[in-house]
Amino acid sequence: MAWWNEAAGGQTPPVTLDRVAAWFDGNRFAYERRPDNSAIVAGFDDCSYVVAIVDGNLLAIYARSWLNLPEDADVTVTLRDLLNTLNRSQAIPSLSSFVDDDGRQVAAEVAVSVAEGLNDAQLANILDTSLQVIIANFEELGEIVNRGQNIQAAGQ
């Protein structure tokens, strides 16, 4: 029988922060829990990474990469076009940009309904895949910025 049909004890276990922490522990990833125990916070490959369970129904994964691009209008338009192209080409993550004190940055988000729970293999698959695609997207964007193509050229 396929792994997605093998529920534990007739029911698929609920997704909890403890189960997400077990995945981090199993992969030997360093992380911290927020003081209010609302999320797990980690960092991978120059990005911040947050995993939360929202209302027991949604597994939300948020990541940020600091490109520190200028807040120039041309840079913003070019970056948004690039993000939209990536968003159209893939199911996850959803990419967007934001501005902080250091300039224009990039964010990624993955949202998965977990209202019916997930078994361990499903949860691991979602967490593995999400991390891989987020890092791959951030690396691709970083390479574009480092080559000075499209984005930085628009701001000059």
Side-chain angles (χ1 to χ4, degrees):
M1 190 182 302
W3 60 264
W4 57 84
N5 292 325
E6 295 176 11
Q11 292 185 331
T12 308
V15 176
T16 64
L17 213 52
D18 287 338
R19 291 185 64 211
V20 173
W23 177 83
F24 274 81
D25 291 337
N27 285 287
R28 292 186 165 89
F29 292 147
Y31 66 93
E32 295 180 8
R33 286 187 188 229
R34 286 203 174 141
D36 62 358
N37 207 35
S38 64
I40 288 179
V41 180
F44 299 100
D45 294 338
D46 297 326
C47 74
S48 65
Y49 200 76
V50 177
V51 181
I53 315 298
V54 180
D55 298 328
N57 297 315
L58 186 71
L59 176 67
I61 301 168
Y62 308 98
R64 291 186 172 188
S65 179
W66 283 266
L67 298 177
N68 299 329
L69 295 170
E71 250 187 274
D72 179 271
D74 289 336
V75 169
T76 300
V77 167
T78 304
L79 179 60
R80 286 184 180 158
D81 286 346
L82 178 58
L83 296 178
N84 286 333
T85 298
L86 288 169
N87 284 334
R88 284 190 300 272
S89 70
Q90 60 196 12
I92 62 170
S94 176
L95 300 167
S96 60
S97 68
F98 65 97
V99 174
D100 67 7
D101 292 340
D102 295 319
R104 185 153 296 281
Q105 318 301 345
V106 177
E109 183 174 331
V110 176
V112 179
S113 174
V114 294
E116 299 299 320
L118 297 172
N119 64 34
D120 290 342
Q122 290 169 315
L123 180 59
N125 185 283
I126 288 168
L127 292 170
D128 288 338
T129 301
S130 296
L131 178 60
Q132 289 171 14
V133 297
I134 287 170
I135 289 175
N137 274 265
F138 285 168
E139 286 175 349
E140 182 176 351
L141 289 165
E143 287 172 11
I144 291 169
V145 169
N146 288 335
R147 285 191 314 254
Q149 296 176 353
N150 300 326
I151 298 171
Q152 299 241 2
Q156 297 179 10

